[in-house]
Amino acid sequence: MSVAKEFEAANANYVASFTKGDLQLPPQRKVAVVACMDARLDPARALGLEEGDAHVIRNAGGRVSDALRSVIISQQLLGTREIVIVHHTNCGMLTFTEDVIRDKIRTDLHQNADHIAFLSFRDLEQSVRDDIQILKDSPLVLDVPITGYVYEVETGKIVQVGENQ
Amino acid sequence: MSVAKEFEAANANYVASFTKGDLQLPPQRKVAVVACMDARLDPARALGLEEGDAHVIRNAGGRVSDALRSVIISQQLLGTREIVIVHHTNCGMLTFTEDVIRDKIRTDLHQNADHIAFLSFRDLEQSVRDDIQILKDSPLVLDVPITGYVYEVETGKIVQVGENQ
């Protein structure tokens, strides 16, 4: 059975007890979370989010340079006024370099992916600081509070990186 | 109080009952979900995901052209072999055009964002079909099962769009 079919079965249970049908489009808590796609991180459970609370933008590494389109839409059209970044320990992005994945794609897929910045990193805390700075430096992003965290996959805990910006 | 401080308080409760500290890096169910960042959609609750199960990639609209870097990393380095796309009713991406947001940025921020494709759409089901096709056509994406859904924010239900690919 495909995982999609399993999702449909699980969704039937969700629908049976669903009570959130009248939520508004703009996020109620006016915050956008930018987090890694990692399977072990559930931003809603780890941060106490209910349906309707927050935009949750996720990609490999939780990198903001790959989230700018979404952040701009979140702020300009849907009124969010705070950003929270969540990277995490044992991230896959720490395990490879741009050359490693480009070489793998060349070997396995016979394709050239040299035009893609895969945004891997070597220093986890620095990756959070870098991403805060990218948002601060972007003229397309509003001057709003930005807080960066490292999520510990071993403990479930979020640990702030640097001071509040 | 910033929302970030509220997240820290909620996270302390999560940590207190955390039992998932030994999960592996590769997603256990070998699936990547590409979903909209919308606040009303909680992919984990709506699809029955536990920590460790699946990559969850999210952006404005759940557009795959803005998720390709993450999908490639998910498949090439972390072994996922199925993709599920989730767009949803009442999406913000249905409410504007590229010109509207570019004009707003020009007026409010005095910046030019004409180089950004904001990936808005007019037809919800077609946006899902388009995104399935983009993945199917990409030589950088493996030939894996892809299933597209519309999530109904009014009912919590996922409704498949088209046939399984």
Side-chain angles (χ1 to χ4, degrees):
Chain A
M1 186 161 79
S2 70
V3 181
K5 289 297 164 204
E6 297 172 358
F7 286 173
E8 291 174 20
N11 179 251
N13 291 328
Y14 183 70
V15 171
S17 59
F18 187 76
T19 60
K20 311 285 182 70
D22 59 354
L23 295 170
Q24 299 301 303
L25 172 54
Q28 191 161 354
R29 295 171 74 180
K30 298 185 187 303
V31 62
V33 176
V34 180
C36 185
M37 68 178 179
D38 191 277
R40 296 162 294 181
L41 171 60
D42 182 332
R45 291 183 186 126
L47 305 177
L49 294 174
E50 294 296 323
E51 291 91 334
D53 278 352
H55 282 147
V56 182
I57 303 160
R58 301 183 66 179
N59 61 47
R63 304 314 307 263
V64 302
S65 57
D66 202 27
L68 279 179
R69 178 184 69 90
S70 298
V71 168
I72 294 167
I73 290 171
S74 177
Q75 294 187 334
Q76 293 298 316
L77 300 178
L78 294 163
T80 63
R81 291 296 180 268
E82 182 169 346
I83 301 172
V84 169
I85 297 171
V86 186
H87 296 182
H88 64 92
T89 56
N90 194 233
C91 186
M93 305 299 286
L94 290 158
T95 66
F96 69 96
T97 64
E98 303 293 304
D99 282 347
V100 164
I101 188 163
R102 287 171 178 164
D103 286 350
K104 185 171 193 310
I105 289 168
R106 195 173 289 112
T107 302
D108 293 357
L109 303 182
H110 310 292
Q111 297 291 329
N112 186 321
D114 291 356
H115 59 292
I116 300 177
F118 286 99
L119 306 175
S120 63
F121 47 80
R122 304 291 290 272
D123 181 323
L124 176 59
E125 294 197 358
Q126 188 60 43
S127 77
V128 177
R129 284 191 289 268
D130 288 347
D131 279 7
I132 291 173
Q133 198 60 48
I134 289 169
L135 292 174
K136 287 286 169 194
D137 289 345
S138 173
L140 297 170
V141 175
L142 297 175
D143 181 22
V144 300
I146 303 173
T147 312
Y149 294 100
V150 165
Y151 173 81
E152 298 177 346
V153 297
E154 302 83 3
T155 66
K157 184 175 172 60
I158 54 169
V159 178
Q160 188 174 344
V161 176
E163 296 304 307
N164 288 310
Q165 299 287 315
Chain B
M1 185 161 79
S2 70
V3 181
K5 290 295 163 203
E6 297 172 359
F7 286 173
E8 291 174 20
N11 179 251
N13 290 329
Y14 183 70
V15 171
S17 60
F18 187 77
T19 60
K20 311 284 182 70
D22 59 354
L23 295 171
Q24 299 300 303
L25 173 54
Q28 192 162 354
R29 295 169 75 181
K30 298 185 187 303
V31 62
V33 176
V34 181
C36 186
M37 70 178 178
D38 191 277
R40 296 162 295 181
L41 171 61
D42 183 332
R45 292 183 186 126
L47 304 178
L49 293 174
E50 294 297 323
E51 291 92 333
D53 278 352
H55 282 148
V56 182
I57 303 160
R58 302 183 66 180
N59 62 46
R63 303 315 307 263
V64 302
S65 57
D66 203 26
L68 278 180
R69 177 184 69 90
S70 299
V71 168
I72 293 166
I73 290 171
S74 177
Q75 294 186 334
Q76 293 297 317
L77 300 178
L78 294 163
T80 64
R81 290 297 180 267
E82 181 169 347
I83 301 172
V84 169
I85 298 170
V86 185
H87 296 183
H88 64 92
T89 56
N90 193 234
C91 186
M93 304 300 286
L94 291 157
T95 66
F96 69 96
T97 64
E98 303 292 303
D99 283 346
V100 164
I101 188 162
R102 288 172 178 164
D103 287 350
K104 185 172 193 307
I105 289 167
R106 196 172 289 113
T107 303
D108 293 357
L109 302 182
H110 311 293
Q111 296 292 330
N112 185 320
D114 291 356
H115 58 292
I116 300 178
F118 286 98
L119 306 176
S120 62
F121 47 80
R122 305 291 291 273
D123 182 322
L124 176 58
E125 293 196 1
Q126 188 61 43
S127 76
V128 177
R129 284 190 288 268
D130 288 347
D131 279 9
I132 292 172
Q133 197 59 48
I134 289 169
L135 293 174
K136 287 285 170 196
D137 289 346
S138 173
L140 297 170
V141 175
L142 297 175
D143 181 21
V144 300
I146 303 173
T147 311
Y149 294 99
V150 166
Y151 173 81
E152 299 177 345
V153 296
E154 302 83 4
T155 66
K157 185 174 172 61
I158 54 170
V159 179
Q160 188 174 345
V161 176
E163 297 302 306
N164 289 310
Q165 300 287 314

